[in-house]
Amino acid sequence: MNRAAPFTFDDSLWPLLGVRLTGEPSRQEFEAFLDSSTRYLQRGGPHVCIFDLSALWLLSSEQRQRHALWLEKNAALMRQTLLGLAYVVTSPTVVLTMSVIFHFRPPPVPYTLVTRMDSARAWAAWHLDEAGLRTEAERVRRQLYGGAFAGTESGCAAAPLSGPC
């Protein structure tokens, strides 16, 4: 039985990149996620990334260590291309884990932890605007306020969303 991939990337509103992680990725799936992440960084150009972690279970300690090594290896490229990272997290356990990790090793770019997708999109639009990408920021705002990405009341629907996540 095939199960859905535990991660998806959506660049339909580039330079806004949406990434959704769900469930509990295997070692191979997590490596594929890191490889895809690297390719987006190597694509170049300033962009903002929203990580929808609202349906993610905790990563294993091995995956957290592997992610830390990936961050260290790619920090310079992240600083060159990423304007910011917004994380949508609804689980108190995941929020606590990320807060502890970020206390000791914060991402090399501006970031925010929020509980609602609309908050993440507004934050992303602001960072695009601040970087002089006004047309792109307005496109994100139109999608956000036009209702196309409204999701559920919480902003973190488990059902598929159109748009960046």
Side-chain angles (χ1 to χ4, degrees), residues 18-165:
V19 181
R20 176 175 278 169
L21 290 135
T22 59
E24 188 174 10
S26 69
R27 176 185 292 168
Q28 289 175 320
E29 291 166 335
F30 192 71
E31 288 300 320
F33 160 74
L34 293 177
D35 290 344
S36 294
S37 297
T38 301
R39 283 192 298 277
Y40 274 103
L41 286 176
Q42 291 170 341
R43 180 177 180 173
H47 63 283
V48 176
C49 187
I50 296 176
F51 281 94
D52 180 358
L53 307 180
S54 60
L56 177 70
W57 301 352
L58 284 176
L59 297 175
S60 70
S61 60
E62 177 186 341
Q63 290 168 332
R64 287 191 305 269
Q65 290 173 347
R66 179 67 182 97
H67 190 244
L69 290 172
W70 183 91
L71 286 170
E72 190 175 302
K73 178 182 176 185
N74 290 285
L77 190 54
M78 290 175 73
R79 282 190 292 274
Q80 290 171 5
T81 62
L82 265 174
L83 301 171
L85 297 164
Y87 297 91
V88 179
V89 186
T90 55
S91 162
T93 305
V94 175
V95 170
L96 179 62
T97 301
M98 291 180 72
S99 296
V100 170
I101 291 169
F102 289 172
H103 176 75
F104 293 105
R105 187 179 295 217
V109 298
Y111 71 93
T112 188
L113 294 172
V114 297
T115 59
R116 297 174 48 99
M117 184 59 70
D118 56 351
S119 298
R121 290 188 182 113
W123 187 90
W126 184 86
H127 278 274
L128 290 169
D129 212 12
E130 286 295 300
L133 300 169
R134 287 171 179 65
T135 302
E136 294 83 351
E138 283 306 312
R139 187 170 30 125
V140 171
R141 286 187 185 101
R142 276 194 308 276
Q143 296 292 330
L144 172 63
Y145 300 117
F149 302 120
T152 64
E153 195 171 308
S154 71
C156 300
L161 299 175
S162 58
C165 291

